[in-house]
Coordinates of all heavy atoms in Angstrom, one line a residue:
W1381 N -2.7 89.4 -41.5 CA -2.6 88.5 -42.8 C -2.7 87.1 -42.1 O -2.2 86.7 -41.1 CB -1.2 88.6 -43.2 CG -0.9 89.9 -44.2 CD1 -0.7 91.1 -43.8 CD2 -0.9 89.8 -45.6 NE1 -0.5 91.9 -44.9 CE2 -0.7 91.1 -46.0 CE3 -1.1 88.9 -46.6 CZ2 -0.7 91.5 -47.3 CZ3 -1.0 89.2 -47.8 CH2 -0.8 90.5 -48.3
S1382 N -3.3 86.2 -43.0 CA -3.3 84.8 -42.7 C -3.0 84.1 -44.1 O -3.8 84.2 -45.0 CB -4.7 84.3 -42.2 OG -4.9 84.7 -40.9
I1383 N -1.8 83.5 -44.1 CA -1.3 82.9 -45.4 C -1.2 81.4 -45.1 O -0.5 81.1 -44.2 CB 0.0 83.6 -45.7 CG1 -0.2 85.1 -45.8 CG2 0.5 83.1 -47.1 CD1 1.2 85.9 -46.0
F1384 N -1.6 80.6 -46.1 CA -1.6 79.2 -46.0 C -0.8 78.7 -47.1 O -1.0 79.0 -48.3 CB -3.0 78.6 -46.0 CG -3.8 79.1 -44.8 CD1 -4.6 80.2 -45.0 CD2 -3.9 78.4 -43.6 CE1 -5.5 80.6 -44.0 CE2 -4.7 78.9 -42.5 CZ -5.5 80.0 -42.8
Y1385 N 0.2 77.8 -46.8 CA 1.0 77.2 -47.8 C 1.6 75.9 -47.2 O 1.4 75.6 -46.1 CB 2.1 78.1 -48.2 CG 3.2 78.3 -47.2 CD1 4.5 77.7 -47.3 CD2 3.0 79.2 -46.2 CE1 5.4 77.9 -46.3 CE2 4.0 79.4 -45.2 CZ 5.2 78.8 -45.3 OH 6.2 78.9 -44.4
V1386 N 2.2 75.1 -48.1 CA 2.7 73.7 -47.8 C 4.3 73.7 -47.9 O 4.8 74.3 -48.9 CB 2.1 72.7 -48.6 CG1 2.8 71.2 -48.2 CG2 0.6 72.5 -48.4
A1387 N 5.0 73.3 -46.9 CA 6.4 73.1 -47.0 C 6.8 71.9 -46.2 O 6.0 71.4 -45.3 CB 7.1 74.4 -46.4
R1388 N 8.1 71.4 -46.4 CA 8.5 70.3 -45.6 C 9.3 70.8 -44.4 O 10.1 71.7 -44.5 CB 9.5 69.4 -46.5 CG 8.7 68.8 -47.7 CD 9.6 67.8 -48.4 NE 8.9 67.2 -49.6 CZ 8.0 66.3 -49.6 NH1 7.7 65.8 -48.4 NH2 7.4 65.8 -50.7
N1389 N 9.2 70.0 -43.3 CA 10.0 70.3 -42.1 C 11.3 69.7 -42.2 O 11.7 69.1 -43.2 CB 9.1 69.8 -40.9 CG 8.9 68.3 -40.9 OD1 9.6 67.5 -41.5 ND2 7.9 67.9 -40.1
A1390 N 12.0 69.8 -41.0 CA 13.5 69.3 -41.0 C 13.5 67.7 -41.3 O 14.6 67.3 -41.8 CB 14.1 69.6 -39.7
G1391 N 12.4 67.1 -41.0 CA 12.4 65.6 -41.1 C 11.9 65.2 -42.6 O 11.8 64.0 -42.9
G1392 N 11.6 66.2 -43.4 CA 11.1 65.9 -44.7 C 9.6 65.7 -44.8 O 9.1 65.4 -46.0
E1393 N 8.9 65.9 -43.8 CA 7.4 65.7 -43.9 C 6.7 66.9 -44.2 O 7.1 68.0 -43.8 CB 6.9 65.2 -42.5 CG 5.4 64.8 -42.5 CD 5.0 64.1 -41.2 OE1 5.7 64.2 -40.2 OE2 3.9 63.5 -41.2
A1394 N 5.8 66.8 -45.2 CA 5.1 68.0 -45.6 C 4.0 68.4 -44.6 O 3.3 67.6 -44.0 CB 4.3 67.7 -46.9
E1395 N 4.0 69.8 -44.4 CA 3.1 70.4 -43.4 C 2.4 71.5 -44.0 O 2.8 72.2 -44.9 CB 3.9 71.0 -42.2 CG 4.8 70.1 -41.5 CD 5.7 70.8 -40.5 OE1 6.1 71.9 -40.7 OE2 6.0 70.2 -39.5
L1396 N 1.0 71.8 -43.7 CA 0.3 72.9 -44.0 C 0.6 73.9 -42.9 O 0.6 73.7 -41.8 CB -1.2 72.6 -44.0 CG -2.1 73.9 -44.2 CD1 -1.8 74.4 -45.7 CD2 -3.6 73.6 -44.0
R1397 N 1.2 75.1 -43.4 CA 1.7 76.1 -42.5 C 0.8 77.3 -42.6 O 0.2 77.6 -43.6 CB 3.1 76.5 -42.9 CG 4.1 75.3 -42.5 CD 5.5 75.7 -42.8 NE 6.5 74.6 -42.5 CZ 7.7 74.7 -42.7 NH1 8.3 75.8 -43.2 NH2 8.6 73.6 -42.5
C1398 N 0.9 78.1 -41.5 CA 0.2 79.4 -41.4 C 1.2 80.4 -41.2 O 2.2 80.4 -40.4 CB -0.7 79.4 -40.1 SG -0.9 80.9 -39.3
K1399 N 1.3 81.4 -42.2 CA 2.3 82.5 -42.1 C 1.6 83.8 -41.7 O 0.5 84.1 -42.2 CB 2.9 82.6 -43.4 CG 4.0 83.7 -43.4 CD 4.7 83.8 -44.8 CE 5.9 84.8 -44.8 NZ 6.6 84.9 -46.1
Y1400 N 2.1 84.5 -40.8 CA 1.5 85.7 -40.2 C 2.6 86.7 -39.9 O 3.7 86.4 -39.8 CB 0.7 85.3 -39.0 CG 1.6 84.7 -37.9 CD1 2.1 85.5 -36.8 CD2 1.9 83.3 -37.9 CE1 2.9 84.9 -35.8 CE2 2.6 82.7 -36.9 CZ 3.1 83.5 -36.0 OH 3.9 83.0 -34.9
R1401 N 2.1 87.9 -39.7 CA 3.0 89.0 -39.2 C 3.0 89.1 -37.7 O 2.0 89.4 -37.2 CB 2.6 90.3 -39.9 CG 3.5 91.5 -39.5 CD 3.3 92.7 -40.5 NE 1.9 93.1 -40.4 CZ 1.5 94.0 -41.3 NH1 2.3 94.6 -42.2 NH2 0.2 94.4 -41.3
G1402 N 4.1 89.0 -37.1 CA 4.3 89.1 -35.7 C 4.6 90.5 -35.3 O 4.5 91.4 -36.0
T1403 N 4.9 90.7 -34.0 CA 5.2 92.1 -33.5 C 6.4 92.7 -34.3 O 6.4 93.9 -34.3 CB 5.4 92.1 -32.0 OG1 6.5 91.0 -31.7 CG2 4.2 91.6 -31.4

Side-chain angles (χ1 to χ4, degrees):
W1381 283 83
S1382 291
I1383 306 172
F1384 302 90
Y1385 69 102
V1386 178
R1388 296 191 184 276
N1389 59 22
E1393 186 172 15
E1395 304 170 328
L1396 178 66
R1397 294 183 178 177
C1398 146
K1399 186 174 181 180
Y1400 58 95
R1401 180 165 54 189
T1403 54

